[in-house]
C-alpha cells in the first residue's frame, strides 16, 4: 500500500507543549512543519528550533499568527497554546473558515460541554462547508480520564459504576500554568476547577457509556506535603499545601455513578500518600469488577505523550468526513 504524502502542519503555541511539538515534527515522516505561531511578542521572529532548543530550522515564530494567515499553506494545525474556551472556539471558527484541520491539546475534548450547543452547531456547519475537521485530544484530558475508562467499561456489559483516578507531578508543568493556580511565585489567579475542569472528561465518558447525567458535582480539596521538598526554587515544608485533588462525579437517574479524580502534586513524593499512575475500576450490578492500571513514575513528563497523541490524530483525521469531533470519535489507528 503506498504511503500517504506528509501533511503540511503549523504549530500554534511555543510553550512546553509547542516546543515538544516542534522537536518531534523535525523528524516526523507523516507531518511536515511549515509554520509556527506564538502568543509571546518576545518570541516573534525567533527561529522555532532555537525556541525548542534544537538550533536553527528556518522556521521563525510569528506573533499573533492566525489560521487564516496560513490558509492554503497547511493542512492541519497543532494547537498547543493555553486558551480559554471562548478563545479556542474563535480559533476553531477561524480555522474552519479557512478549511484547515485543527487538533488542540488545550480543550475541545467534548465540544458541547466546552462550547455549548449553539456554537457547536456553527462550528460543525462551517467545518463541513469548508472541508475542515476540528477536535481536541491529549493525555489528560483526552485519554486517561475519559477515553481509557470508556474502553475499560466496554469489558462490562452494563457498568453500574466507573471510577478513574490519575496522579501527576506538577513539577513537569509549564510555569505559566502552575502560576495561574497558585504554584508559582505569587497567589493564584484562577481556581483549579475553572482552568483545569474535569467537566469535559466526565461528559465525554457519560456519553460514551450511555449514562444520562441527572446530577454532576465537581469538588477540589488540598493535598498537604508528607515531606519537605524544594521544586523550581520553591520551598515546601511538611504539612504545607502542595497540590490538589479534583473530584468530578456524575449520577444517573437509575443510580449509575461515574467518578473521576485528578490528583496533582508539586514534587510528588511517596510520603504524600496519594499514589501514582492511573487506575480505572468498573463494576457491574452483580459486583463483578474490571480494573486497569497505567503505571507512572514520580519523574514522568506527560508533555511528549500529549503531543505525540495530537500528532497521531492530526495524521489520521484526514480520513474522517469534515466536522467537529469529540475525543471519543477520533481515529485510533
Amino acid at each position: 500500500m503506498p504511503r500517504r504524502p506528509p501533511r503540511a502542519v503549523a504549530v500554534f503555541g511555543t510553550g512546553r507543549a509547542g516546543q515538544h511539538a516542534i522537536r518531534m515534527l523535525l523528524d516526523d515522516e507523516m507531518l511536515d512543519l511549515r509554520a509556527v505561531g506564538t502568543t509571546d511578542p518576545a518570541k516573534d521572529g525567533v527561529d522555532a528550533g532555537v525556541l525548542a532548543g534544537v538550533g536553527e530550522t528556518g522556521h521563525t515564530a510569528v506573533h499573533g499568527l492566525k489560521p487564516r494567515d496560513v490558509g492554503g499553506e497547511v493542512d492541519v494545525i497543532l494547537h498547543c497554546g493555553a486558551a480559554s474556551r471562548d478563545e479556542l472556539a474563535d480559533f476553531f471558527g477561524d480555522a474552519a473558515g479557512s478549511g484547515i484541520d485543527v487538533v488542540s491539546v488545550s480543550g475541545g475534548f467534548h465540544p458541547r460541554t466546552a462550547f455549548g450547543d449553539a456554537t457547536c452547531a456553527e462550528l460543525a456547519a462551517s467545518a463541513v462547508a469548508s472541508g475542515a475537521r476540528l477536535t481536541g485530544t491529549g493525555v489528560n484530558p483526552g485519554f486517561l480520564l475519559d477515553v481509557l475508562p470508556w474502553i475499560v467499561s466496554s469489558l462490562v456489559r452494563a457498568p453500574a459504576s466507573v471510577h478513574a483516578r490519575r496522579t501527576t507531578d506538577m513539577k513537569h508543568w509549564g510555569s505559566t500554568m502552575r502560576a495561574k493556580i497558585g504554584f508559582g511565585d505569587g497567589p493564584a489567579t484562577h481556581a483549579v476547577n475553572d482552568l483545569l475542569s474535569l467537566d469535559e472528561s466526565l461528559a465525554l465518558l457519560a456519553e460514551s457509556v450511555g449514562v444520562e447525567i441527572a446530577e454532576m458535582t465537581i469538588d477540589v480539596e488540598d493535598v498537604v506535603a508528607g515531606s519537605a521538598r524544594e521544586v523550581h526554587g520553591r520551598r515546601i515544608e511538611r504539612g504545607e499545601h502542595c497540590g490538589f485533588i479534583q473530584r468530578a462525579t456524575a449520577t444517573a437517574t437509575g443510580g449509575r455513578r461515574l467518578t473521576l479524580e485528578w490528583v496533582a502534586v508539586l514534587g510528588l513524593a511517596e510520603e504524600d500518600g496519594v499514589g501514582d499512575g492511573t487506575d480505572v475500576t468498573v463494576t457491574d450490578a452483580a459486583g463483578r469488577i474490571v480494573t486497569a492500571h497505567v503505571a507512572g513514575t514520580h519523574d514522568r513528563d506527560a508533555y511528549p505523550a500529549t503531543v505525540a497523541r495530537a500528532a497521531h490524530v492530526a495524521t489520521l483525521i484526514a480520513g474522517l468526513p469534515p466536522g467537529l469531533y469529540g475525543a471519543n470519535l477520533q481515529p485510533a489507528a
Side-chain angles (χ1 to χ4, degrees):
M1 182 176 179
R3 180 185 291 271
R4 294 177 182 173
R7 305 195 77 199
V9 61
V11 173
F12 277 61
T14 53
R16 289 208 62 207
Q19 291 169 23
H20 276 294
I22 292 165
R23 289 194 292 269
M24 177 191 65
L25 291 171
L26 293 177
D27 296 319
D28 199 284
E29 296 182 354
M30 301 305 297
L31 296 171
D32 180 20
L33 181 63
R34 298 286 183 86
V36 176
T38 182
T39 58
D40 185 348
K43 296 177 180 178
D44 186 44
V46 179
D47 190 281
V50 173
L51 294 174
V54 293
E56 299 281 343
T57 65
H59 299 289
T60 57
V62 178
H63 177 244
L65 192 69
K66 299 184 182 302
R68 69 177 77 103
D69 298 327
V70 293
E73 299 177 27
V74 304
D75 303 308
V76 59
I77 294 170
L78 292 185
H79 181 273
C80 299
S84 69
R85 288 174 172 176
D86 287 343
E87 290 169 339
L88 185 59
D90 288 343
F91 191 94
F92 274 12
D94 194 339
S98 304
I100 304 172
D101 294 350
V102 179
V103 180
S104 175
V105 301
S106 303
F109 314 103
H110 188 261
R112 285 193 296 109
T113 299
F115 308 131
D117 290 339
T119 299
C120 280
E122 293 174 4
L123 290 173
S126 180
V128 169
S130 70
R133 302 151 190 88
L134 313 171
T135 193
T137 194
V139 169
N140 184 42
F143 184 68
L144 288 177
L145 287 182
D146 31 52
V147 174
L148 178 62
W150 163 47
I151 293 172
V152 175
S153 71
S154 70
L155 302 177
V156 175
R157 183 61 185 138
S161 69
V162 180
H163 181 276
R165 176 182 173 108
R166 184 188 182 215
T167 302
T168 57
D169 191 337
M170 280 191 283
K171 74 178 182 182
H172 300 299
W173 295 12
S175 58
T176 300
M177 182 64 73
R178 285 188 285 105
K180 286 182 177 180
I181 60 172
F183 291 93
D185 296 329
T189 59
H190 294 72
V192 168
N193 56 345
D194 286 338
L195 194 63
L196 302 169
S197 180
L198 285 172
D199 59 348
E200 285 191 66
S201 290
L202 193 61
L204 187 147
L205 176 60
E207 179 181 285
S208 301
V209 301
V211 169
E212 186 172 343
I213 298 176
E215 181 180 2
M216 178 190 295
T217 60
I218 299 180
D219 302 307
V220 179
E221 64 182 76
D222 290 343
V223 174
V224 297
S227 60
R229 70 208 61 175
E230 186 168 331
V231 186
H232 298 304
R234 175 173 177 160
R235 179 70 181 177
I236 300 174
E237 300 295 341
R238 184 176 183 273
E240 288 186 352
H241 177 213
C242 67
F244 65 83
I245 301 174
Q246 181 182 181
R247 184 175 296 105
T249 303
T251 305
T253 304
R256 299 171 72 188
R257 188 179 182 88
L258 310 176
T259 303
L260 304 178
E261 293 180 321
W262 185 0
V263 184
V265 176
L266 186 59
L268 180 64
E270 290 184 12
E271 293 83 0
D272 298 329
V274 293
D276 193 21
T278 301
D279 290 283
V280 179
T281 302
V282 181
T283 308
D284 70 7
R288 290 182 288 264
I289 297 174
V290 174
T291 63
H293 174 71
V294 179
T297 70
H298 292 173
D299 296 322
R300 185 165 186 175
D301 182 356
Y303 278 86
T306 296
V307 172
R309 180 160 174 78
H312 183 76
V313 173
T315 302
L316 297 176
I317 200 173
L320 294 180
L324 177 65
Y325 291 92
N328 56 338
L329 298 175
Q330 296 162 358

